[in-house]
Amino acid sequence: MNVLFLALGGSRRPAVISEAEHVIAHGDKVTVLVGTAAKWRKGPLPEGADLVELSRLERDSRPAVVRLLLTRVPLFLLRVCLPGPLRGMSKRLRSAYVRRIERPVDRRLARLYRRDPVRARERVIDRDLLRSRSIDLVIVGDPESMVIASELREVIVRSGARLAYTGTQERPLSGHVGG
């Protein structure tokens, strides 16, 4: 079984990590979808779990023509035109190109191909996570992910996966003794 944890806020990291360990112990595969990977550096995921950033998925969802014209061709030209000892200048030119040309043009073009950000997010998650990894179960791990889960409910059901919510507590409720 392939399990996808939605942990976009990172507020319940220990609970998601413990559930991921439990799922991996039973021989299943785990993917954790997070908002930013920086929050997950303190408590790393167990061995065998994949960490996927939502912002990276959305950023890589540009159409092939835009990727080719804005990224691949200019970087290929830099690699070919500035080989060997000029590599240092190539790196500076590349960062300047990305900062001054690629990002601003991509932002302006994004208005055209990302007119509806919710639909774009649905397409990206459906294509890159649910279908390509053949996810069977999607577990909402924190409160911040509930909004995304409600937006993606139809896409999740259409892909054949089930939607569940985690109930694991990070620590015992106040007044209760864990034993």
Side-chain angles (χ1 to χ4, degrees):
M1 176 183 286
N2 293 329
V3 179
L4 172 67
F5 284 96
L6 296 177
L8 298 171
S11 61
R12 298 191 65 231
R13 243 184 350 257
V16 170
I17 290 171
S18 68
E19 286 195 19
E21 288 172 349
H22 180 73
V23 169
I24 289 174
H26 288 347
D28 298 331
K29 294 181 182 178
V30 171
T31 304
V32 180
L33 181 66
V34 299
T36 58
K39 292 181 180 180
W40 290 83
R41 289 195 179 104
K42 289 181 184 176
L45 290 174
E47 188 68 32
D50 293 333
L51 184 75
V52 178
E53 283 185 88
L54 181 61
S55 59
R56 178 166 285 160
L57 281 178
E58 290 174 340
R59 187 173 50 239
D60 293 342
S61 69
R62 297 185 297 178
V65 172
V66 174
R67 266 195 323 267
L68 180 71
L69 293 177
L70 273 181
T71 307
R72 301 241 184 218
V73 171
L75 297 181
F76 174 74
L77 290 174
L78 279 175
R79 244 188 346 262
V80 170
C81 295
L82 297 172
L86 298 175
R87 184 70 62 197
M89 188 186 343
S90 172
K91 288 180 183 177
R92 286 193 301 266
L93 282 172
R94 177 178 189 235
S95 66
Y97 169 77
V98 168
R99 188 178 58 251
R100 301 225 173 176
I101 297 172
E102 181 183 358
R103 283 185 192 148
V105 171
D106 186 41
R107 278 191 213 115
R108 288 192 179 124
L109 288 175
R111 294 178 190 154
L112 297 174
Y113 60 82
R114 289 185 204 150
R115 287 186 181 165
D116 187 6
V118 175
R119 298 289 297 159
R121 181 179 294 147
E122 286 178 1
R123 274 193 314 270
V124 168
I125 290 177
D126 186 35
R127 181 188 68 218
D128 294 342
L129 287 178
L130 297 174
R131 302 264 185 222
S132 69
R133 296 176 187 244
S134 64
I135 300 294
D136 300 316
L137 179 64
V138 177
I139 299 176
V140 179
D142 58 7
E144 293 87 352
S145 302
M146 290 215 184
V147 174
I148 299 292
S150 66
E151 292 172 355
L152 298 174
R153 190 182 62 77
E154 292 179 17
V155 174
I156 291 169
V157 170
R158 207 176 330 130
S159 72
R162 294 177 309 175
L163 184 61
Y165 300 93
T166 179
T168 303
Q169 295 292 322
E170 296 178 27
R171 55 186 176 264
L173 298 173
S174 61
H176 292 83
V177 177

